Amino acid sequence: MSEARATTHFGDTTVALEDKQGLVNEVFDAVSPRYDLMNDLMSLGVHRLWKDAMVSRLAPPRSGGRPFRVLDLAGGTGDIAERIHNHSHGFAKVTVADISPEMLAEGAKRAKSWRFGAGTEFITANAEDLPFDTDTFDAVTIAFGIRNVPRIEKALSEAFRVLTSGGRLLVLEFSKPDVPVVDTFYEQFCDRIIPPLGAMVMGDDAPYRYLVESIRRFPGPAAFCQLINEAGFSRVTHTALSANIAALHSGWKI
Ligand SMILES: C[S@@+](CC[C@H](N)C(=O)[O-])C[C@H]1O[C@@H](n2cnc3c(N)ncnc32)[C@H](O)[C@@H]1O
């Protein structure tokens, strides 16, 4: 008798667990040249405020005995890395890790014009199996990335492993709006504006249908905090952003 294969979701489609990453990679490889433009259009620029909020919460130091080491996981085109460099006036050392070489290539291109962070490392890596030693980073950040990882628990365990004791994990992710009228407007916006916008700008709405579906399938902040907790993190909290359209999750390796 053959064993049942483990399944998961790619957006609303049920797929074999081992097939999801390939499908996710197709999405980000395809959108990488216009990823930043689409982020601004789809969020009306608000993703910038959420990313600013994440880096303010991290509050990377501007001086100290040695550089503050940050791993920006699923870091894509380097939005979070750039902010961390600016906030720390170049004192932080950020490693951007992402499974998509195309997204990283866009980031490396952008990094040439950054005020700080000339030596930023862009490393192709799977969040489920990180090529870094245990106890390497003072902080791990993940913005809008964890939703795409097939085995979220593995990625959280890996983040825990590579953090130093006393290090912090911050995860920024879409959530579910909980304010009347805002929630209705948001649902309509997701269904009626985002996929057609993707078709107009990218010539294909499929990546943006995946985006909307994957956001809806992601667990709410309380359930996601539970996963962070189970990966070993302490003092796990979440903060709602913009009527809970997004949420910032925090946990410490103590
Ligand atoms: C929505 S983008 C977020 C990029 C960036 N953090 C930002 O906020 O703009 C999601 C990123 O997750 C990356 N990703 C998906 N699965 C991954 C995995 N298993 N390991 C590392 N990165 C992954 C994708 O390649 C993509 O760059």
Side-chain angles (χ1 to χ4, degrees), residues 38-243:
M38 273 302 287
N39 265 355
D40 277 332
L41 294 175
M42 282 183 314
S43 74
L44 311 173
V46 176
H47 76 106
R48 293 170 179 253
L49 304 180
W50 296 334
K51 289 170 176 170
D52 288 345
M54 181 190 216
V55 174
S56 295
R57 180 70 66 84
L58 179 66
R62 293 180 176 160
S63 61
R66 57 157 178 79
F68 184 73
R69 296 158 308 185
V70 185
L71 173 63
D72 184 36
L73 204 44
T77 58
D79 261 7
I80 299 298
E82 182 180 11
R83 282 169 171 75
I84 293 172
H85 288 307
N86 289 343
H87 203 290
S88 70
H89 293 181
F91 182 67
K93 181 179 182 310
V94 187
T95 300
V96 180
D98 196 288
I99 204 165
S100 162
E102 280 78 359
M103 291 288 281
L104 291 172
E106 290 296 322
K109 245 192 272 170
R110 282 178 48 180
K112 290 186 185 140
S113 63
W114 290 350
R115 181 157 172 230
F116 301 107
T120 304
E121 284 182 306
F122 289 87
I123 293 181
T124 307
N126 187 339
E128 294 179 5
D129 185 15
L130 293 174
F132 307 110
D133 289 340
T134 299
D135 300 335
T136 298
F137 297 99
D138 300 303
V140 173
T141 52
I142 313 176
F144 304 113
I146 197 77
R147 194 182 71 245
N148 301 289
V149 176
R151 298 167 190 83
I152 290 177
E153 295 84 350
K154 266 186 133 179
L156 292 173
S157 297
E158 277 293 84
F160 188 83
R161 181 183 67 76
V162 300
L163 273 171
T164 52
S165 182
R168 187 176 203 179
L169 171 73
L170 282 173
V171 185
L172 179 60
E173 197 41 272
F174 287 104
S175 186
K176 297 180 186 7
D178 54 6
V179 173
V181 183
V182 175
D183 55 3
T184 314
F185 173 78
Y186 177 77
E187 291 302 322
Q188 296 289 322
F189 188 81
C190 285
D191 285 331
R192 293 176 186 223
I193 306 288
I194 292 182
L197 194 63
M200 210 165 73
V201 177
M202 302 290 307
D204 185 9
D205 68 352
Y208 295 92
R209 278 191 281 109
Y210 162 71
L211 172 78
V212 170
E213 292 169 6
S214 66
I215 289 171
R216 289 194 176 130
R217 287 203 170 263
F218 192 68
F224 184 56
C225 281
Q226 173 77 20
L227 292 182
I228 297 176
N229 209 268
E230 283 165 10
F233 289 93
S234 305
R235 292 164 57 197
V236 178
T237 57
H238 62 87
T239 309
L241 301 172
S242 305

